[in-house]
Amino acid sequence: MGPSILATGVYRYRKTFDILAQAQRRLELLSETAAQVAHEVRNPLTAIKGLVKLQTAARDDLNREKIDQYQGILTEEVERIENILSNLQDLTKPLAPDMESTDINMVLLKTVQLAEFRGIGLDVKLDLKEDLPRITADPSLLKQVFMNLLHNASEACGESGQLQIETSSDRRRVRIQFSDDGPGFPEEISSRLFEPFFTTKDSGLGLGLVVVDRIIEIHKGTVEIANNDPAGARVTVSLPK
């Protein structure tokens, strides 16, 4: 009986230790998340505050060109905050997809139009298969996936960048491929691209691809990222019919 009691005590101790360790890790992750979000939101807020003060001080001296320029910057900074909060929300909230018969080409067209309306600054070329079969999916969530990939390509390529979006299918799957002409990524970090808070950029939470992966996983699909030859990156989303 002695060894049995000892084993039970050890088991309870280990279980308690594991629970405390998990709680500690959650607190550390929460602290890290809060610090990252505060840092990323503070930058655009500082720019917005400065522009508002500048416009107020020089209200009588601003011409229409300057007003339009300032309004454009304000809009961009507000959209930066929206993107940060949207990605954070998509990462943390339970996803309950509203599945329906979905035309992937139509979702892509609407997403690209919205991105262009927001001034994404990419030359986007579409090569959409005309007879692409419809799939069962949540078009709203897929729109978020495509918007994140457009946003990533825009940040990688800059305003003069080009992005090719192509759709195709085989007997089992529909594929959506995003190919940009940016610098690509170092091969040694390829295994970390889907890690939360990992980013090679000077700004950003590193949540865009995490959200993409999570949404596609719910749809029982896959996401693959590779470098193009000679330059650029290629993201391939594969979804079951």
Side-chain angles (χ1 to χ4, degrees), residues 5 8 14-15 37 39-40 43-44 56-57 72 82 101 108 116 125 129 137 157 168 175 189 213 218 226-227 241:
I5 294 174
T8 301
R14 287 295 302 274
K15 188 175 181 180
V37 172
H39 173 74
E40 290 302 321
N43 289 337
T56 302
E82 287 179 341
S101 178
L108 279 167
E116 290 176 344
K125 299 185 183 300
K129 185 178 181 182
C157 301
S168 61
R175 290 182 176 83
I189 70 166
D213 189 49
I218 286 176
N227 279 317
K241 289 183 178 179

Side-chain angles (χ1 to χ4, degrees), residues 139-150:
S140 178
L141 289 179
L142 291 186
K143 186 177 179 182
Q144 179 66 38
V145 166
F146 300 150
M147 186 63 76
N148 279 10
L149 295 179
L150 280 162

Side-chain angles (χ1 to χ4, degrees), residues 36-240:
Q36 292 275 9
V37 172
H39 173 74
E40 290 302 321
V41 171
R42 185 178 292 113
N43 289 337
L45 282 179
T46 300
I48 291 170
K49 183 178 179 180
L51 279 172
V52 170
K53 284 186 176 180
L54 183 60
Q55 287 188 91
T56 302
R59 180 180 303 168
D60 298 331
D61 299 326
L62 294 177
N63 56 34
R64 173 50 57 185
E65 182 180 356
K66 276 293 184 183
I67 291 175
D68 290 343
Q69 179 185 356
Y70 291 163
Q71 291 301 318
I73 296 173
L74 286 171
T75 300
E76 289 177 4
E77 296 305 302
V78 169
E79 287 177 352
R80 279 181 62 190
I81 296 175
E82 287 179 341
N83 187 64
I84 292 168
L85 297 180
S86 176
N87 279 336
L88 186 63
Q89 184 182 38
D90 287 337
L91 180 68
T92 57
K93 71 180 180 183
L95 292 181
D98 186 10
M99 298 296 202
E100 61 183 68
S101 178
T102 302
D103 183 341
I104 290 293
N105 286 347
M106 185 58 64
V107 176
L108 279 167
L109 285 169
K110 290 181 178 180
T111 307
V112 170
Q113 288 174 355
L114 178 60
E116 290 176 344
F117 175 76
R118 292 180 176 179
I120 199 166
L122 273 176
D123 179 15
V124 180
K125 299 185 183 300
L126 297 172
D127 182 9
L128 308 181
K129 185 178 181 182
E130 292 184 3
D131 58 345
L132 193 74
R134 299 175 74 92
I135 67 170
T136 301
D138 184 326
S140 178
L141 289 179
L142 291 186
K143 186 177 179 182
Q144 179 66 38
V145 166
F146 300 150
M147 186 63 76
N148 279 10
L149 295 179
L150 280 162
H151 181 74
N152 284 357
S154 176
E155 289 189 335
C157 301
E159 293 186 359
S160 60
Q162 292 188 341
L163 177 67
Q164 174 95 5
I165 303 177
E166 178 182 357
T167 58
S168 61
S169 68
D170 57 26
R171 291 190 306 170
R172 301 178 59 187
R173 292 183 171 266
V174 167
R175 290 182 176 83
I176 308 98
Q177 185 169 282
F178 287 66
S179 299
D180 65 52
D181 63 350
F185 58 89
E187 291 293 341
E188 59 267 22
I189 70 166
S190 59
S191 62
R192 303 192 62 193
L193 292 175
F194 294 103
E195 287 185 15
F197 308 114
F198 176 78
T199 178
T200 59
K201 296 173 290 188
D202 294 333
S203 62
L205 290 175
L207 296 179
L209 287 177
V210 179
V211 171
V212 166
D213 189 49
R214 184 181 181 214
I215 292 175
I216 297 303
E217 183 180 15
I218 286 176
H219 285 79
K220 303 187 186 306
T222 60
V223 185
E224 297 178 355
I225 303 179
N227 279 317
N228 278 328
D229 186 19
R234 179 177 68 256
V235 181
T236 303
V237 175
S238 181
L239 295 166

